């Protein structure tokens, strides 16, 4: 994929201030897209926007707030004229056993996961349809297909919900030229690093199950793959889950 293939396109990336979101934003910008970064910490978003260039802008947002989502999308349209790419990356993660995870934690995970994903998709769908199509990338997790779900039930339930919404959107909006994909990345994000620190033995055992024997890099591995998926080379791919995880997961 050569630089410039996304020139003139506008991309919204949530959780763009660090980790996977930052990596995706940088890769999209390098290919010519103008990126709107959404997240909670404005100074981090502004720093990434400066790295992106191409007129990238930062928008402080609580993705659990439906009105704030509509407001951000409206501001992006005012600033850039429309939306061509949407990346739903931001997510509060409820980890722990079923007895440990509180109702409030699970609700926050749902509100920032499937509900926020659906709200952003619904806000962007008419804009993409008006422009003749678009690409939506939603983030799921290989936790949804773990053989041992202990400690991951609430997280996997939330991420599985995002996969189901993505399949539905791909089927319903395909006639509008809108492609919808989910990715399941393993990347050296702050969240993964925190997991490694809190569960070092589990992490070490897990890494041995990755055929490529390494964790992906946020920009070089995950961002580059997403940028490629958004480009014309993958114009006939929709409704799929792409495991960007070094071959570890099995989504069959």
């Amino acid at each position: 994929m050569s630089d410039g293939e996304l020139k003139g396109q506008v991309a919204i990336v949530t959780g763009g201030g660090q980790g996977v979101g930052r990596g995706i934003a940088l890769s999209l910008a390098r290919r010519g897209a103008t990126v709107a970064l959404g997240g909670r910490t404005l100074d981090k978003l502004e720093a990434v926007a400066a790295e992106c260039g191409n007129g990238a802008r930062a928008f402080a947002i609580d993705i659990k707030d439906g009105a704030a989502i509509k407001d951000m999308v409206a501001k992006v349209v005012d600033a850039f004229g429309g939306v061509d790419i949407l990346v739903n990356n931001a997510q509060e993660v409820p980890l722990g056993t079923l007895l440990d995870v509180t109702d409030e934690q699970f609700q926050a995970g749902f509100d920032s996961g499937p509900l926020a994903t659906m709200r952003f998709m619904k806000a962007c769908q008419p804009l993409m349809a008006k422009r003749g199509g678009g690409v939506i990338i939603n983030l799921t997790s290989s936790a949804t297909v773990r053989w041992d779900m202990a400690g991951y039930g609430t997280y996997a339930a939330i991420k599985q919900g995002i996969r189901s919404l993505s399949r539905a959107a791909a089927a319903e909006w395909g006639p509008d030229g809108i492609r919808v994909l989910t990715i399941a990345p393993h990347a050296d994000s702050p969240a993964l690093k925190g997991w490694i620190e809190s569960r070092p033995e589990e992490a070490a055992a897990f890494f041995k199950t990755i055929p490529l024997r390494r964790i992906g890099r946020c920009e070089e591995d995950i961002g580059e793959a997403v940028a490629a998926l958004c480009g014309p080379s993958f114009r006939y791919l929709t409704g799929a889950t792409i495991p960007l995880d070094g071959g570890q997961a099995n989504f069959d």
Side-chain angles (χ1 to χ4, degrees), residues 145-210:
V145 293
R146 283 177 65 96
W147 69 271
D148 177 7
M149 197 66 73
Y152 293 89
T154 52
Y155 176 51
I158 285 166
K159 288 298 190 182
Q160 190 67 270
I162 291 174
R163 287 187 71 201
S164 298
L165 291 171
S166 302
R167 280 290 298 180
E172 294 172 9
W173 301 342
D176 299 314
I178 299 171
R179 297 190 293 115
V180 187
L181 300 164
T182 52
I183 62 167
H186 290 331
D188 55 355
S189 64
L192 186 78
K193 291 175 181 176
W195 174 70
I196 293 171
E197 292 175 1
S198 64
R199 305 186 184 190
E201 293 182 3
E202 182 180 352
F206 178 76
F207 296 154
K208 291 179 180 179
T209 68
I210 300 175

Side-chain angles (χ1 to χ4, degrees), residues 91-252:
Q91 167 80 71
E92 291 186 26
V93 177
L95 285 177
T97 66
L98 299 181
L99 292 177
D100 289 336
V101 174
T102 65
D103 288 359
E104 291 75 17
Q105 289 171 325
F106 186 49
Q107 187 68 57
F110 180 84
D111 290 347
S112 64
L115 186 53
T117 294
M118 185 172 72
R119 284 169 166 167
F120 263 112
M121 289 197 300
K122 289 173 69 174
C124 291
Q125 188 274 344
L127 303 171
M128 292 180 174
K130 183 178 180 180
R131 287 160 82 95
V135 183
I136 298 172
I137 304 286
N138 297 325
L139 270 72
T140 185
S141 170
S142 60
T144 61
V145 293
R146 283 177 65 96
W147 69 271
D148 177 7
M149 197 66 73
Y152 293 89
T154 52
Y155 176 51
I158 285 166
K159 288 298 190 182
Q160 190 67 270
I162 291 174
R163 287 187 71 201
S164 298
L165 291 171
S166 302
R167 280 290 298 180
E172 294 172 9
W173 301 342
D176 299 314
I178 299 171
R179 297 190 293 115
V180 187
L181 300 164
T182 52
I183 62 167
H186 290 331
D188 55 355
S189 64
L192 186 78
K193 291 175 181 176
W195 174 70
I196 293 171
E197 292 175 1
S198 64
R199 305 186 184 190
E201 293 182 3
E202 182 180 352
F206 178 76
F207 296 154
K208 291 179 180 179
T209 68
I210 300 175
L212 292 183
R213 293 296 191 272
R214 70 175 178 85
I215 293 296
R217 293 177 287 271
C218 291
E219 182 179 354
E220 295 90 335
D221 295 317
I222 311 306
E224 290 296 290
V226 169
L229 291 169
C230 291
S233 296
F234 290 91
R235 62 173 63 88
Y236 200 55
L237 180 64
T238 192
T241 295
I242 314 297
L244 301 177
D245 61 358
Q248 192 271 340
N250 182 3
F251 282 91
D252 293 341

Side-chain angles (χ1 to χ4, degrees), residues 20-43:
V20 170
R22 173 181 173 273
I24 292 172
L26 291 174
S27 292
L28 292 173
R30 185 162 51 252
R31 282 156 179 76
T34 299
V35 182
L37 299 152
R40 290 180 295 187
T41 309
L42 188 58
D43 58 346

